[in-house]
Amino acid sequence: MTTTTTPDGRPVPPAHADERTMLEAWLDFHRATLALKCAGLDDERLRRPAVPPSRMTLLGLVQHMAEVERNWFQRVFASLDVPPVFGADNTDGFTLAPERGLEEATAAWQAQIARGRELTADASLDDAGRLSEREAGHVGDAGVSLRWILVHLIEEYARHNGHADLLRERLDGVTGT
């Protein structure tokens, strides 16, 4: 018997698959985990930071990951000159706007995911994108493969899902996921 989703609806990465399928499945699992962490909360709770002085919120994490998706797939991998998702003064996505709630932020995030899939659909894991000079200084090379980008995104989501888990627990006691 093969299970394709967890009881909470997230896609289960296959136990055996080729490298590309495995990387994309784990990335999708982590994307679904972040969405699940935000599910069922009202706007006020989605905007509530964990503990001072941190301003990190669940809504801010969704916006941040939209920006992360755009950066790595569009700017780095495809070398596109695209503006920040939520405005020039919000390059990391964490700043909240009173008029933008979870529905709009999630739509923007999902659009970035879809665009990334389009740009990488026919690419090899060995195809490379170009980093900015600043980013290259952190990585140690001016170019990174699509494989590197996918692994980095899995790591980024996993780290932020840990933050999301703590935020959610503080908001309403929900743990796990």
Side-chain angles (χ1 to χ4, degrees):
M1 178 174 139
T2 302
T3 304
T4 57
T5 60
T6 61
D8 55 32
R10 292 174 294 154
V12 173
H16 304 278
D18 63 89
E19 183 181 15
R20 175 80 177 249
T21 301
M22 189 70 72
L23 290 170
E24 290 176 346
W26 275 105
L27 183 54
D28 284 343
F29 175 83
H30 283 291
R31 288 168 172 153
T33 299
L34 181 57
L36 186 61
K37 282 296 173 186
C38 297
L41 293 174
D42 61 26
D43 191 64
E44 186 277 324
R45 285 185 174 179
L46 289 163
R47 293 170 180 277
R48 191 182 303 166
V51 292
S54 175
R55 297 182 308 126
M56 186 179 292
T57 66
L58 286 170
L59 181 56
L61 282 172
V62 171
Q63 292 181 171
H64 175 65
M65 293 314 296
E67 189 57 51
V68 167
E69 294 268 357
R70 178 174 275 197
N71 182 62
W72 288 102
F73 290 124
Q74 293 184 54
R75 292 186 192 110
V76 174
F77 187 74
S79 298
L80 299 175
D81 184 16
V82 292
V85 180
F86 299 106
D89 60 339
N90 194 8
T91 58
D92 64 6
F94 281 113
T95 303
L96 305 181
E99 70 279 0
R100 186 175 42 253
L102 183 61
E103 187 174 323
E104 183 180 341
T106 299
W109 175 42
Q110 294 300 320
Q112 296 311 308
I113 291 169
R115 183 67 174 128
R117 286 184 173 134
E118 289 172 17
L119 292 170
T120 60
D122 296 325
S124 160
L125 290 175
D126 293 321
D127 290 345
R130 300 285 304 162
L131 295 170
S132 69
E133 190 174 316
R134 183 183 63 80
E135 290 170 321
H138 296 296
V139 174
D141 197 305
V144 290
S145 68
L146 178 57
R147 176 184 294 103
W148 190 99
I149 291 170
L150 292 171
V151 170
H152 174 69
L153 282 173
I154 292 166
E155 175 273 328
E156 178 106 3
Y157 272 99
R159 181 167 25 94
H160 286 314
N161 282 338
H163 298 138
D165 197 37
L166 292 171
L167 280 160
R168 184 66 190 247
E169 183 176 7
R170 176 140 168 97
L171 292 171
D172 65 2
V174 171
T175 60
T177 306

